[in-house]
DNA sequence: TATGAATGAGCCTTCATTCAT
DNA sequence: GATGAATGAAGGCTCATTCAT
């Protein structure tokens, strides 16, 4: 039986790679030393390819030419590596949808469209890290999981509010706000399941597409 | 959302349970003995809660009051338990979207709506098994993975074709068929991430909702 | 990694095989039912090919189209199957070297030659069972092992006595009796390591050869 | 003969032992770290006593006060421990019979005598490792088995050639070369079955004895 | 900072054996 | 007599983690 560890999503060596498949390094906190950042990046790829539990500390550190023990110089446990990744990803996603330039948009439709577009774009641009954020929550300890849930709720609320505003003021059709906003989030999130950077969709194009589709979901049909 | 991690999955006797959380038992192949079916059902729950790699054979069999060795009376390996589940789920999903009563629908819009509704309903009804089908593919061996991929392609094609028909005959707006059909699939699939049977949405209601939303995505706006 | 259970010494199915590779069935005790005898024969082949510990009860019974449980109808344990084989083999070997027609030989040289020849012939004829007798003693329990040792001692004594007789009466050179008789036994025993029935040596020819060599070891050189 | 079964192999610390039962440590490859060498030595004893399959990785490492996992720091599998042992043993045996000082012997009889003596001495001196080399071949994978077979063939050829030379030039009686050389090898090999260092035979004495016996097998009888 | 060596805990899997049928 | 189902007890091997260096 072949090792089930084969990476479905091939990632080249980190070394010497001029351009990364995703831009996850941009997510890591400022204070972290370079090796720590590289470890997070390597971990993201491993977790995304094989899942948290199927990834060994040797996988993560080995991709950088380091020994497994090196990981413990920067992180106290494998779980905390996961937590760092998931927290960073969720934090940034929240920042993206609460960015001042988006909140400043007066027009209700354009506001919603911009929200969905930005959210989608974020997930596409960071699809590897985002995949981990969405699919590896079960690897977190209870406490860490709760902490992440809290951020998710706040993020979700942003969408619900934006939609509610348009429904309330009559701009949008009188849709079921929680359910429809949930569907809009699905458009933005589900792409981490299939998105590849080498495909024909740029993060921007995908953001535009989903923004359109979301608006179509709630547009009032002139009778 | 209840915490789906940490505490190992524990379930009361399957036998005693009058109503199951999902209806996955209906998915298992005919020939299989009862104990084998129960093992699959137990495995589905464990995999859905904790992931394939974090689930032990003891978790699966223990939930039925059996020893780990009992699993090997019915399946040659843990991986094959996963494969059986994922194959059954995918097979049935394909059957659902190729059901004669759906294919018989003449009206293009109603056809698409029925497709999305049925697909959504299926995922909601079998959300536990469907979650495994969508998120645990990395646990499969290369060969088994390929086999599943093949079924997925056929399923996806059904949606693409249905949408293309409406675009071609002018019923729908001239949307980008592959991308938009992908978005429609997202609506149906992403719910496995969050759906709970105890929530306020029945599978039927959710199917109706997604059917509506999908049609709204492609409806022609009268100028 | 390939299963290390591959049988080095291929044995055809017992069913329908007109002629057996060795004649071990002839060794089994009279009272035993046919199925029991077949189980012993199958076990001999498995043990000889793969060793006692690497042989499963399923291997033994499966070769006869039976389930593992069938073995326990005839034998109380796997170890006792081994013991039965080893005891039968050793008993018969002792019988061979204490056969009246050999003991009746007056001539000292011819007596020794006949002894070595018969012993060699026996091991060649039953080389599969004899291999188990020589190499799988470690699989026996302490008590059973002691019981076998006792038979071996008696067998060995026969050779030592025959040689001593010739040395004492001056027929043979004044060799070191225990050491040289041990060497003669080596000739007879070691063949179980390499003997194949399909080779060019018949048991009789091999017996003759070893009888000759043994005599050459002790012949007096006329000055 | 001490009971070599039942009670799992237990040895005092290898370190503390001033003199080992056999000299197998001398067989291990140069590059190996001390712990690795000790593991091989411990494994040899376990395999010799109980057989490969009846020996656990805990037996091997436990004798050194190490955990089972320690073995995997030095060897990738239990089978490879066996292979390393068997390869080292066979390699050295070949070196012994192809040593320059033996090949340099002009006299045909003395050459053969020296060959048999050296071969015997080697097996006696390393009787524990040699036992494993002769009796545990079935524990090897197919590939490793083939590799060993190749060395054995070369070793055997040395004896056949030495004997053939004497037969051809008339020094020896016109014996059947393959069969008689096989018998000579039996004298050297079979001792691993019964040799104990505490017995009254030193390796040198045994070598001398077998050298004599071998020559007696082929000496020309003056008519 | 980085690691080689070591391990405790645990996992998947096997298997001799039992027993109700 | 024969077996299918089940299991207790391992066994080989892995891995997150530690620690002396």
């Amino acid at each position: 039986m072949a090792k089930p560890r084969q990476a479905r999503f091939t990632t080249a060596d980190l070394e010497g790679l001029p351009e990364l498949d995703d831009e996850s390094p941009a997510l890591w906190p400022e204070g972290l030393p370079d090796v720590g950042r590289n470890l997070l990046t390597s971990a993201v790829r491993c977790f995304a390819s094989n899942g948290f539990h199927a990834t060994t500390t040797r996988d993560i550190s080995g991709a950088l030419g380091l020994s497994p023990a090196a990981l413990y110089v920067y992180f106290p446990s494998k779980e905390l590596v996961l937590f760092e990744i998931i927290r960073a990803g969720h934090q940034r996603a929240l920042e993206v949808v609460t960015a001042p330039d988006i909140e400043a948009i007066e027009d209700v439709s354009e506001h919603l469209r911009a929200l969905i577009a930005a959210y989608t774009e974020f997930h596409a641009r960071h699809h590897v890290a985002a995949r981990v954020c969405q699919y590896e929550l079960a690897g977190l300890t209870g406490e860490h999981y709760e902490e992440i849930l809290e951020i998710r709720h706040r993020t979700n609320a942003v969408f619900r509010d934006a939609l509610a505003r348009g429904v309330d003021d009559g701009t949008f059709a009188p849709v079921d706000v929680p359910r429809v906003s949930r569907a809009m989030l699905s458009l933005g999130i589900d792409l981490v399941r299939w998105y590849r950077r080498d495909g024909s969709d740029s993060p921007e194009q995908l953001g535009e597409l989903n923004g359109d589709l979301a608006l179509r979901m709630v547009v009032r049909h002139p009778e």
Side-chain angles (χ1 to χ4, degrees), chain A residues 56-93:
Chain A
T56 71
T57 54
R58 174 164 269 106
D59 290 338
I60 299 169
S61 51
L64 300 171
L66 295 175
S67 82
L71 189 145
Y72 292 85
V73 173
Y74 298 91
F75 304 96
S77 74
K78 191 178 118 177
E79 193 268 345
L80 226 124
V81 171
L82 177 66
F83 179 53
E84 209 65 65
I85 291 167
I86 293 186
R87 185 176 47 172
H90 278 80
Q91 205 91 57
R92 190 65 140 252

mmCIF file of all heavy atoms in Angstrom, chain A residues 56-93:
data_model
loop_
_atom_site.group_PDB
_atom_site.id
_atom_site.type_symbol
_atom_site.label_atom_id
_atom_site.label_comp_id
_atom_site.label_asym_id
_atom_site.label_seq_id
_atom_site.Cartn_x
_atom_site.Cartn_y
_atom_site.Cartn_z
ATOM 1 N N THR A 56 3.603 15.663 10.050
ATOM 2 C CA THR A 56 4.501 15.478 11.183
ATOM 3 C C THR A 56 5.370 16.724 11.348
ATOM 4 O O THR A 56 5.542 17.499 10.400
ATOM 5 C CB THR A 56 5.425 14.271 10.970
ATOM 6 O OG1 THR A 56 6.379 14.589 9.964
ATOM 7 C CG2 THR A 56 4.635 13.051 10.549
ATOM 8 N N THR A 57 5.894 16.885 12.526
ATOM 9 C CA THR A 57 6.794 18.025 12.746
ATOM 10 C C THR A 57 8.020 17.889 11.844
ATOM 11 O O THR A 57 8.632 18.877 11.485
ATOM 12 C CB THR A 57 7.244 18.081 14.214
ATOM 13 O OG1 THR A 57 7.798 16.826 14.591
ATOM 14 C CG2 THR A 57 6.055 18.396 15.114
ATOM 15 N N ARG A 58 8.343 16.680 11.514
ATOM 16 C CA ARG A 58 9.466 16.445 10.585
ATOM 17 C C ARG A 58 9.113 16.950 9.187
ATOM 18 O O ARG A 58 9.978 17.497 8.492
ATOM 19 C CB ARG A 58 9.826 14.961 10.561
ATOM 20 C CG ARG A 58 10.872 14.596 9.526
ATOM 21 C CD ARG A 58 11.473 13.218 9.781
ATOM 22 N NE ARG A 58 12.650 13.254 10.609
ATOM 23 C CZ ARG A 58 12.716 12.878 11.876
ATOM 24 N NH1 ARG A 58 11.651 12.395 12.456
ATOM 25 N NH2 ARG A 58 13.830 12.977 12.574
ATOM 26 N N ASP A 59 7.886 16.752 8.768
ATOM 27 C CA ASP A 59 7.451 17.268 7.465
ATOM 28 C C ASP A 59 7.666 18.773 7.409
ATOM 29 O O ASP A 59 8.200 19.313 6.443
ATOM 30 C CB ASP A 59 5.955 16.984 7.242
ATOM 31 C CG ASP A 59 5.668 15.510 7.023
ATOM 32 O OD1 ASP A 59 6.593 14.780 6.627
ATOM 33 O OD2 ASP A 59 4.516 15.094 7.250
ATOM 34 N N ILE A 60 7.195 19.425 8.449
ATOM 35 C CA ILE A 60 7.233 20.888 8.485
ATOM 36 C C ILE A 60 8.663 21.413 8.475
ATOM 37 O O ILE A 60 9.039 22.234 7.632
ATOM 38 C CB ILE A 60 6.507 21.410 9.742
ATOM 39 C CG1 ILE A 60 5.041 20.979 9.722
ATOM 40 C CG2 ILE A 60 6.622 22.925 9.830
ATOM 41 C CD1 ILE A 60 4.301 21.222 11.031
ATOM 42 N N SER A 61 9.451 20.916 9.402
ATOM 43 C CA SER A 61 10.810 21.427 9.529
ATOM 44 C C SER A 61 11.708 20.902 8.413
ATOM 45 O O SER A 61 12.595 21.611 7.926
ATOM 46 C CB SER A 61 11.383 21.041 10.884
ATOM 47 O OG SER A 61 11.207 19.652 11.100
ATOM 48 N N GLY A 62 11.452 19.666 7.998
ATOM 49 C CA GLY A 62 12.275 19.070 6.945
ATOM 50 C C GLY A 62 12.235 19.860 5.650
ATOM 51 O O GLY A 62 13.230 19.954 4.931
ATOM 52 N N ALA A 63 11.093 20.453 5.335
ATOM 53 C CA ALA A 63 10.972 21.237 4.104
ATOM 54 C C ALA A 63 11.910 22.441 4.132
ATOM 55 O O ALA A 63 12.218 23.033 3.100
ATOM 56 C CB ALA A 63 9.535 21.699 3.910
ATOM 57 N N LEU A 64 12.358 22.804 5.308
ATOM 58 C CA LEU A 64 13.279 23.936 5.438
ATOM 59 C C LEU A 64 14.695 23.458 5.709
ATOM 60 O O LEU A 64 15.592 24.264 6.007
ATOM 61 C CB LEU A 64 12.834 24.838 6.593
ATOM 62 C CG LEU A 64 11.439 25.437 6.472
ATOM 63 C CD1 LEU A 64 11.040 26.112 7.772
ATOM 64 C CD2 LEU A 64 11.417 26.433 5.325
ATOM 65 N N GLY A 65 14.899 22.161 5.644
ATOM 66 C CA GLY A 65 16.218 21.634 5.929
ATOM 67 C C GLY A 65 16.551 21.640 7.404
ATOM 68 O O GLY A 65 17.709 21.533 7.786
ATOM 69 N N LEU A 66 15.527 21.740 8.232
ATOM 70 C CA LEU A 66 15.763 21.764 9.674
ATOM 71 C C LEU A 66 15.341 20.455 10.317
ATOM 72 O O LEU A 66 14.614 19.665 9.718
ATOM 73 C CB LEU A 66 14.966 22.910 10.320
ATOM 74 C CG LEU A 66 15.366 24.322 9.904
ATOM 75 C CD1 LEU A 66 14.418 25.338 10.513
ATOM 76 C CD2 LEU A 66 16.805 24.604 10.308
ATOM 77 N N SER A 67 15.767 20.240 11.528
ATOM 78 C CA SER A 67 15.357 19.057 12.275
ATOM 79 C C SER A 67 14.035 19.349 12.989
ATOM 80 O O SER A 67 13.682 20.512 13.208
ATOM 81 C CB SER A 67 16.421 18.687 13.298
ATOM 82 O OG SER A 67 16.274 19.485 14.446
ATOM 83 N N PRO A 68 13.309 18.302 13.345
ATOM 84 C CA PRO A 68 12.020 18.506 14.017
ATOM 85 C C PRO A 68 12.171 19.340 15.284
ATOM 86 O O PRO A 68 11.276 20.115 15.638
ATOM 87 C CB PRO A 68 11.573 17.091 14.374
ATOM 88 C CG PRO A 68 12.319 16.197 13.470
ATOM 89 C CD PRO A 68 13.599 16.873 13.127
ATOM 90 N N ALA A 69 13.284 19.168 15.966
ATOM 91 C CA ALA A 69 13.468 19.890 17.224
ATOM 92 C C ALA A 69 13.495 21.401 16.996
ATOM 93 O O ALA A 69 13.157 22.177 17.906
ATOM 94 C CB ALA A 69 14.754 19.432 17.898
ATOM 95 N N ALA A 70 13.893 21.815 15.827
ATOM 96 C CA ALA A 70 13.990 23.253 15.543
ATOM 97 C C ALA A 70 12.639 23.931 15.717
ATOM 98 O O ALA A 70 12.550 25.083 16.148
ATOM 99 C CB ALA A 70 14.515 23.474 14.134
ATOM 100 N N LEU A 71 11.587 23.207 15.381
ATOM 101 C CA LEU A 71 10.255 23.788 15.485
ATOM 102 C C LEU A 71 9.972 24.254 16.908
ATOM 103 O O LEU A 71 9.298 25.269 17.117
ATOM 104 C CB LEU A 71 9.237 22.742 15.052
ATOM 105 C CG LEU A 71 7.790 23.169 14.872
ATOM 106 C CD1 LEU A 71 7.172 22.398 13.718
ATOM 107 C CD2 LEU A 71 6.979 22.919 16.131
ATOM 108 N N TYR A 72 10.518 23.531 17.863
ATOM 109 C CA TYR A 72 10.220 23.835 19.259
ATOM 110 C C TYR A 72 11.022 25.019 19.802
ATOM 111 O O TYR A 72 10.817 25.458 20.924
ATOM 112 C CB TYR A 72 10.425 22.585 20.118
ATOM 113 C CG TYR A 72 9.378 21.557 19.782
ATOM 114 C CD1 TYR A 72 9.558 20.670 18.718
ATOM 115 C CD2 TYR A 72 8.177 21.523 20.457
ATOM 116 C CE1 TYR A 72 8.582 19.755 18.374
ATOM 117 C CE2 TYR A 72 7.195 20.616 20.128
ATOM 118 C CZ TYR A 72 7.397 19.730 19.078
ATOM 119 O OH TYR A 72 6.424 18.842 18.729
ATOM 120 N N VAL A 73 11.921 25.502 18.989
ATOM 121 C CA VAL A 73 12.619 26.726 19.364
ATOM 122 C C VAL A 73 11.680 27.914 19.166
ATOM 123 O O VAL A 73 11.751 28.908 19.874
ATOM 124 C CB VAL A 73 13.891 26.892 18.512
ATOM 125 C CG1 VAL A 73 14.536 28.243 18.767
ATOM 126 C CG2 VAL A 73 14.864 25.764 18.789
ATOM 127 N N TYR A 74 10.771 27.752 18.209
ATOM 128 C CA TYR A 74 9.896 28.876 17.864
ATOM 129 C C TYR A 74 8.463 28.710 18.335
ATOM 130 O O TYR A 74 7.744 29.686 18.504
ATOM 131 C CB TYR A 74 9.931 29.105 16.351
ATOM 132 C CG TYR A 74 11.308 29.458 15.880
ATOM 133 C CD1 TYR A 74 12.199 28.474 15.470
ATOM 134 C CD2 TYR A 74 11.738 30.776 15.895
ATOM 135 C CE1 TYR A 74 13.481 28.795 15.069
ATOM 136 C CE2 TYR A 74 13.023 31.118 15.497
ATOM 137 C CZ TYR A 74 13.886 30.114 15.088
ATOM 138 O OH TYR A 74 15.154 30.456 14.715
ATOM 139 N N PHE A 75 8.047 27.465 18.490
ATOM 140 C CA PHE A 75 6.668 27.222 18.914
ATOM 141 C C PHE A 75 6.643 26.132 19.971
ATOM 142 O O PHE A 75 7.396 25.164 19.869
ATOM 143 C CB PHE A 75 5.805 26.801 17.725
ATOM 144 C CG PHE A 75 5.832 27.787 16.604
ATOM 145 C CD1 PHE A 75 6.714 27.608 15.538
ATOM 146 C CD2 PHE A 75 5.010 28.908 16.613
ATOM 147 C CE1 PHE A 75 6.748 28.527 14.500
ATOM 148 C CE2 PHE A 75 5.045 29.825 15.571
ATOM 149 C CZ PHE A 75 5.922 29.640 14.516
ATOM 150 N N PRO A 76 5.793 26.260 20.951
ATOM 151 C CA PRO A 76 5.789 25.282 22.040
ATOM 152 C C PRO A 76 5.146 23.955 21.667
ATOM 153 O O PRO A 76 5.319 22.982 22.375
ATOM 154 C CB PRO A 76 4.999 25.975 23.144
ATOM 155 C CG PRO A 76 4.157 26.969 22.446
ATOM 156 C CD PRO A 76 4.873 27.380 21.211
ATOM 157 N N SER A 77 4.397 23.906 20.594
ATOM 158 C CA SER A 77 3.769 22.648 20.200
ATOM 159 C C SER A 77 3.258 22.749 18.775
ATOM 160 O O SER A 77 3.119 23.831 18.216
ATOM 161 C CB SER A 77 2.594 22.322 21.122
ATOM 162 O OG SER A 77 1.505 23.168 20.812
ATOM 163 N N LYS A 78 2.986 21.596 18.212
ATOM 164 C CA LYS A 78 2.448 21.549 16.854
ATOM 165 C C LYS A 78 1.080 22.216 16.821
ATOM 166 O O LYS A 78 0.749 22.923 15.879
ATOM 167 C CB LYS A 78 2.346 20.085 16.409
ATOM 168 C CG LYS A 78 2.043 19.889 14.935
ATOM 169 C CD LYS A 78 2.021 18.396 14.576
ATOM 170 C CE LYS A 78 0.667 17.968 14.073
ATOM 171 N NZ LYS A 78 0.584 16.562 13.631
ATOM 172 N N GLU A 79 0.314 21.989 17.858
ATOM 173 C CA GLU A 79 -1.018 22.582 17.899
ATOM 174 C C GLU A 79 -0.927 24.093 17.869
ATOM 175 O O GLU A 79 -1.742 24.777 17.238
ATOM 176 C CB GLU A 79 -1.768 22.122 19.161
ATOM 177 C CG GLU A 79 -3.265 22.438 19.149
ATOM 178 C CD GLU A 79 -3.603 23.785 19.805
ATOM 179 O OE1 GLU A 79 -2.766 24.354 20.509
ATOM 180 O OE2 GLU A 79 -4.726 24.276 19.582
ATOM 181 N N LEU A 80 0.086 24.624 18.521
ATOM 182 C CA LEU A 80 0.186 26.073 18.547
ATOM 183 C C LEU A 80 0.616 26.634 17.201
ATOM 184 O O LEU A 80 0.301 27.777 16.866
ATOM 185 C CB LEU A 80 1.115 26.537 19.645
ATOM 186 C CG LEU A 80 0.431 27.689 20.379
ATOM 187 C CD1 LEU A 80 0.320 27.414 21.846
ATOM 188 C CD2 LEU A 80 1.153 28.974 20.083
ATOM 189 N N VAL A 81 1.319 25.856 16.449
ATOM 190 C CA VAL A 81 1.630 26.266 15.073
ATOM 191 C C VAL A 81 0.319 26.416 14.305
ATOM 192 O O VAL A 81 0.087 27.407 13.618
ATOM 193 C CB VAL A 81 2.548 25.234 14.383
ATOM 194 C CG1 VAL A 81 2.693 25.550 12.905
ATOM 195 C CG2 VAL A 81 3.908 25.199 15.063
ATOM 196 N N LEU A 82 -0.526 25.404 14.477
ATOM 197 C CA LEU A 82 -1.825 25.461 13.807
ATOM 198 C C LEU A 82 -2.625 26.667 14.271
ATOM 199 O O LEU A 82 -3.208 27.406 13.459
ATOM 200 C CB LEU A 82 -2.607 24.175 14.099
ATOM 201 C CG LEU A 82 -4.018 24.120 13.517
ATOM 202 C CD1 LEU A 82 -3.971 24.101 11.992
ATOM 203 C CD2 LEU A 82 -4.779 22.909 14.032
ATOM 204 N N PHE A 83 -2.639 26.876 15.562
ATOM 205 C CA PHE A 83 -3.408 27.984 16.114
ATOM 206 C C PHE A 83 -2.902 29.322 15.568
ATOM 207 O O PHE A 83 -3.692 30.182 15.165
ATOM 208 C CB PHE A 83 -3.319 27.971 17.639
ATOM 209 C CG PHE A 83 -4.055 29.099 18.298
ATOM 210 C CD1 PHE A 83 -5.392 29.345 17.999
ATOM 211 C CD2 PHE A 83 -3.417 29.929 19.206
ATOM 212 C CE1 PHE A 83 -6.083 30.385 18.607
ATOM 213 C CE2 PHE A 83 -4.097 30.970 19.815
ATOM 214 C CZ PHE A 83 -5.429 31.206 19.510
ATOM 215 N N GLU A 84 -1.595 29.478 15.551
ATOM 216 C CA GLU A 84 -0.997 30.718 15.033
ATOM 217 C C GLU A 84 -1.480 30.986 13.607
ATOM 218 O O GLU A 84 -1.855 32.099 13.247
ATOM 219 C CB GLU A 84 0.523 30.566 15.056
ATOM 220 C CG GLU A 84 1.273 31.855 15.234
ATOM 221 C CD GLU A 84 0.981 32.473 16.597
ATOM 222 O OE1 GLU A 84 1.349 31.868 17.634
ATOM 223 O OE2 GLU A 84 0.354 33.541 16.616
ATOM 224 N N ILE A 85 -1.472 29.932 12.815
ATOM 225 C CA ILE A 85 -1.899 30.051 11.425
ATOM 226 C C ILE A 85 -3.372 30.435 11.338
ATOM 227 O O ILE A 85 -3.761 31.367 10.634
ATOM 228 C CB ILE A 85 -1.682 28.716 10.674
ATOM 229 C CG1 ILE A 85 -0.187 28.459 10.496
ATOM 230 C CG2 ILE A 85 -2.410 28.700 9.348
ATOM 231 C CD1 ILE A 85 0.138 27.043 10.057
ATOM 232 N N ILE A 86 -4.182 29.699 12.064
ATOM 233 C CA ILE A 86 -5.625 29.915 11.969
ATOM 234 C C ILE A 86 -6.012 31.273 12.555
ATOM 235 O O ILE A 86 -6.876 31.977 12.017
ATOM 236 C CB ILE A 86 -6.385 28.763 12.679
ATOM 237 C CG1 ILE A 86 -6.164 27.458 11.905
ATOM 238 C CG2 ILE A 86 -7.867 29.081 12.787
ATOM 239 C CD1 ILE A 86 -6.969 26.285 12.410
ATOM 240 N N ARG A 87 -5.345 31.649 13.626
ATOM 241 C CA ARG A 87 -5.666 32.946 14.194
ATOM 242 C C ARG A 87 -5.277 34.064 13.239
ATOM 243 O O ARG A 87 -6.054 34.981 12.977
ATOM 244 C CB ARG A 87 -4.955 33.148 15.523
ATOM 245 C CG ARG A 87 -5.391 34.448 16.178
ATOM 246 C CD ARG A 87 -4.793 34.631 17.536
ATOM 247 N NE ARG A 87 -3.350 34.359 17.527
ATOM 248 C CZ ARG A 87 -2.550 34.596 18.553
ATOM 249 N NH1 ARG A 87 -3.057 35.091 19.674
ATOM 250 N NH2 ARG A 87 -1.269 34.332 18.486
ATOM 251 N N ALA A 88 -4.074 33.965 12.696
ATOM 252 C CA ALA A 88 -3.627 34.996 11.758
ATOM 253 C C ALA A 88 -4.587 35.106 10.585
ATOM 254 O O ALA A 88 -4.976 36.197 10.170
ATOM 255 C CB ALA A 88 -2.219 34.675 11.275
ATOM 256 N N GLY A 89 -4.983 33.958 10.056
ATOM 257 C CA GLY A 89 -5.882 33.962 8.905
ATOM 258 C C GLY A 89 -7.231 34.596 9.235
ATOM 259 O O GLY A 89 -7.756 35.400 8.450
ATOM 260 N N HIS A 90 -7.768 34.234 10.362
ATOM 261 C CA HIS A 90 -9.082 34.774 10.713
ATOM 262 C C HIS A 90 -9.007 36.261 11.038
ATOM 263 O O HIS A 90 -9.891 37.041 10.659
ATOM 264 C CB HIS A 90 -9.666 33.988 11.886
ATOM 265 C CG HIS A 90 -10.318 32.723 11.477
ATOM 266 N ND1 HIS A 90 -9.627 31.570 11.197
ATOM 267 C CD2 HIS A 90 -11.634 32.415 11.267
ATOM 268 C CE1 HIS A 90 -10.462 30.622 10.850
ATOM 269 N NE2 HIS A 90 -11.686 31.088 10.884
ATOM 270 N N GLN A 91 -7.962 36.623 11.740
ATOM 271 C CA GLN A 91 -7.774 38.031 12.079
ATOM 272 C C GLN A 91 -7.740 38.877 10.798
ATOM 273 O O GLN A 91 -8.448 39.874 10.669
ATOM 274 C CB GLN A 91 -6.437 38.179 12.808
ATOM 275 C CG GLN A 91 -6.373 39.378 13.704
ATOM 276 C CD GLN A 91 -6.834 39.012 15.113
ATOM 277 O OE1 GLN A 91 -6.284 38.111 15.725
ATOM 278 N NE2 GLN A 91 -7.863 39.685 15.606
ATOM 279 N N ARG A 92 -6.934 38.427 9.882
ATOM 280 C CA ARG A 92 -6.786 39.200 8.655
ATOM 281 C C ARG A 92 -8.083 39.234 7.847
ATOM 282 O O ARG A 92 -8.409 40.258 7.220
ATOM 283 C CB ARG A 92 -5.654 38.598 7.819
ATOM 284 C CG ARG A 92 -5.269 39.455 6.664
ATOM 285 C CD ARG A 92 -4.653 40.804 7.114
ATOM 286 N NE ARG A 92 -3.544 41.155 6.270
ATOM 287 C CZ ARG A 92 -2.281 41.113 6.637
ATOM 288 N NH1 ARG A 92 -1.974 40.810 7.880
ATOM 289 N NH2 ARG A 92 -1.330 41.404 5.772
ATOM 290 N N ALA A 93 -8.782 38.119 7.849
ATOM 291 C CA ALA A 93 -10.059 38.116 7.123
ATOM 292 C C ALA A 93 -11.012 39.149 7.724
ATOM 293 O O ALA A 93 -11.707 39.875 7.000
ATOM 294 C CB ALA A 93 -10.694 36.722 7.185
#
